[in-house]
Amino acid sequence: MEKKQFKAKDMLVIGAALFAMFFGAGNLIFPPLLGQQTGTSWIIGFLFFFIFDVGLALVAILALISKNQYSITGLTGPMGKVPSAVIGAIGALCIGPFLAIPRTAATTYEVGVAPLLTNAPGFATWIFSAFFFAVVLVLTIRPSKVVDIVGQFLTPILVIFLLIMIIVGIVNPLGPIETEATVNAVREGTYNGYQTLDVIASMIFIIIIANSARDKGYNDQASLAGATIRSSVVAAVGLLVIYGGLTYLGATTGTLADYQGLDQTTLLVTITKGLFGDIGVILLGIIVLFACWTTAIGLTSAVSEYFVELSDGKLKYKTLVIAIVVFSWLVSNAGVATIIKVSAPLLNLIYPGLLVLIILAFFHKQIKNNNIYRFAAYFGMITSALEILAGFGLPTDFVSVLPLADMGFAWIIPAIVGGIIGKFIPSKS
């Protein structure tokens, strides 16, 4: 098959689509607070945030391409049928009803609705979230061009607005960047990168990107891989600019008393108000509403399709959509801060295992024993579990003496040891 020549327009179109999928409005809330907490070390915090968010998402995509696989099972497969299904299901649930989908509604309320309801304190969050998810349900069960229109127009508008806000914040900063970091910049950047869920999402979204590339004529393996990589880089550059700018804006609030002690969403709203006044807050709220709707609809559809495939069609698409929407509605009413607080341990638990599988995927031709994958991933996740338990006061804080533990990477050495042990244990599959 003749290799198709890459067209810049195609790469921009596919890259913009990937950018829109990664750029869930819920992700906007992490960089500003990270910038405020890391102060003069904001660049370090941001770099690790970017590496463990967009960077690892790109690495995951490259790992799948290296195996000529375009689904999450391409990475989890060596773990065995059942563990692979469990890890894939946990990942899908994280970017679905457990975390990402509820966060879209909670973020929309706290960024776009709550600031406008100062005279209506009795307005319940569940009323808004019921309306939010009713729209998601209607547009997901019966896909409509409305979703495409919203995605094509609202995401660019949101990006333009944020770019203007970042430029204004650079030209006329809210305050000087003088405060020392109140947290470990490396650790905080890493953990915030986990919270965006983009690494997990990339393993689900890659099939959509691959199909888009095929539709444009990139059908042979080399062309498909090249188009996917190039479009992914386009998306990464866009996210680098937006997330870096928002982290900088947060860093400029470190010396301002009115900006201290705020949660993620409130800080973003307060920064917007400080730069543009009430009009800016209203505009941000409207754009975030539609952007979050688009994200929630896309995730609900993708996760539903994933579980239809995982169950070999035993679970029906419409039934799954209804279940996901109802569960997400219930969870969303806990609020963004609570969702993040509850989600952190789960994400910190599964990420080491996923990262191990992503890295080892690049060496799949050299690795002949699947126990290397299994033991490395399990040792990494067990170490992370011990760290999490130590955080709850259990006597497992001995993991804090492991190399790199102070930066949040205590799992690396155990994962390496696990992989070495696995090499000497024969694998049946």
Side-chain angles (χ1 to χ4, degrees):
M1 182 180 293
E2 184 179 353
K3 182 178 178 180
K4 179 176 178 178
Q5 295 298 313
F6 298 112
K7 294 182 179 179
K9 180 180 178 181
D10 290 341
M11 301 305 101
L12 288 173
V13 169
I14 300 172
L18 182 58
F19 173 90
M21 285 187 282
F22 279 142
F23 193 64
N27 291 357
L28 298 179
I29 63 179
F30 295 107
L33 184 58
L34 175 64
Q36 185 186 79
Q37 292 175 330
T38 52
T40 53
S41 300
W42 73 270
I43 294 179
I44 296 175
F46 165 68
L47 286 177
F48 276 84
F49 170 81
F50 186 80
I51 289 169
F52 283 87
D53 171 24
V54 181
L56 280 180
L58 285 178
V59 172
I61 290 173
L62 290 173
L64 287 167
I65 290 173
S66 73
K67 299 181 70 174
N68 195 28
Q69 297 282 341
Y70 291 87
S71 72
I72 190 172
T73 54
L75 291 178
T76 60
M79 297 293 290
K81 186 175 181 180
V82 174
S84 175
V86 170
I87 294 173
I90 291 175
L93 289 171
C94 283
I95 66 166
F98 282 7
L99 308 175
I101 296 175
R103 196 168 68 193
T104 59
T107 298
T108 303
Y109 180 81
E110 294 181 21
V111 171
V113 179
L116 306 179
L117 295 176
T118 54
N119 296 323
F123 187 90
T125 58
W126 64 266
I127 296 176
F128 168 79
S129 60
F131 164 70
F132 181 95
F133 282 112
V135 173
V136 173
L137 179 63
V138 170
L139 294 181
T140 307
I141 283 186
R142 295 187 177 183
S144 166
K145 288 187 177 180
V146 172
V147 179
D148 294 331
I149 293 172
V150 170
Q152 290 172 9
F153 289 98
L154 267 298
T155 295
I157 292 174
L158 176 60
V159 171
I160 292 170
F161 176 80
L162 290 173
L163 286 174
I164 293 173
M165 184 166 75
I166 291 167
I167 293 170
V168 171
I170 292 173
V171 175
N172 295 302
L174 293 168
I177 303 177
E178 297 177 346
T179 57
E180 295 295 325
T182 59
V183 297
N184 183 306
V186 173
R187 177 189 289 267
E188 204 65 23
T190 300
Y191 286 166
N192 275 269
Y194 289 172
Q195 290 288 334
T196 65
L197 302 171
D198 284 344
V199 176
I200 301 174
S202 68
M203 302 177 198
I204 304 293
F205 289 153
I206 188 172
I207 185 64
I208 300 173
I209 300 304
N211 287 339
S212 296
R214 290 189 185 100
D215 289 342
K216 295 184 182 300
Y218 300 95
N219 293 308
D220 64 280
Q221 182 177 343
S223 295
L224 180 60
T228 304
I229 292 171
R230 285 170 170 78
S231 59
S232 297
V233 171
V234 170
V237 171
L239 292 169
L240 175 71
V241 173
I242 296 296
Y243 289 158
L246 290 174
T247 307
Y248 169 81
L249 293 182
T252 64
T253 68
T255 60
L256 307 178
D258 291 343
Y259 290 77
Q260 305 307 307
L262 305 178
D263 59 27
Q264 288 96 336
T265 52
T266 306
L267 179 60
L268 176 60
V269 171
T270 307
I271 289 173
T272 306
K273 187 173 183 179
L275 293 173
F276 297 115
D278 292 334
I279 296 298
V281 176
I282 294 172
L283 180 60
L284 176 67
I286 294 172
I287 295 172
V288 165
L289 168 63
F290 285 98
C292 279
W293 256 336
T294 306
T295 301
I297 292 164
L299 289 175
T300 301
S301 178
V303 173
S304 298
E305 292 284 7
Y306 174 79
F307 281 109
V308 169
E309 180 181 345
L310 186 65
S311 67
D312 292 325
K314 294 183 178 66
L315 297 174
K316 302 304 179 184
Y317 176 80
K318 288 187 177 181
T319 303
L320 285 165
V321 167
I322 294 171
I324 289 171
V325 165
V326 171
F327 189 86
S328 298
W329 169 56
L330 295 173
V331 174
S332 70
N333 294 296
V336 173
T338 301
I339 292 172
I340 292 173
K341 183 177 179 180
V342 173
S343 69
L346 178 60
L347 293 173
N348 292 339
L349 173 64
I350 67 171
Y351 259 91
L354 288 174
L355 298 185
V356 167
L357 294 175
I358 289 170
I359 293 168
L360 292 181
F362 287 101
F363 306 97
H364 68 278
K365 292 182 180 179
Q366 290 76 34
I367 297 176
K368 307 301 181 183
N369 186 342
N370 282 341
N371 278 331
I372 295 177
Y373 295 98
R374 294 165 183 167
F375 278 70
Y378 287 141
F379 273 48
M381 289 191 288
I382 289 171
T383 304
S384 185
L386 293 175
E387 281 191 294
I388 293 168
L389 292 174
F392 287 103
L394 295 177
T396 56
D397 56 352
F398 58 86
V399 294
S400 63
V401 302
L402 291 172
L404 305 177
D406 59 329
M407 294 189 292
F409 304 125
W411 56 270
I412 289 181
I413 299 301
I416 294 173
V417 172
I420 294 172
I421 293 173
K423 176 178 174 59
F424 296 99
I425 300 177
S427 173
K428 295 180 182 180
S429 61

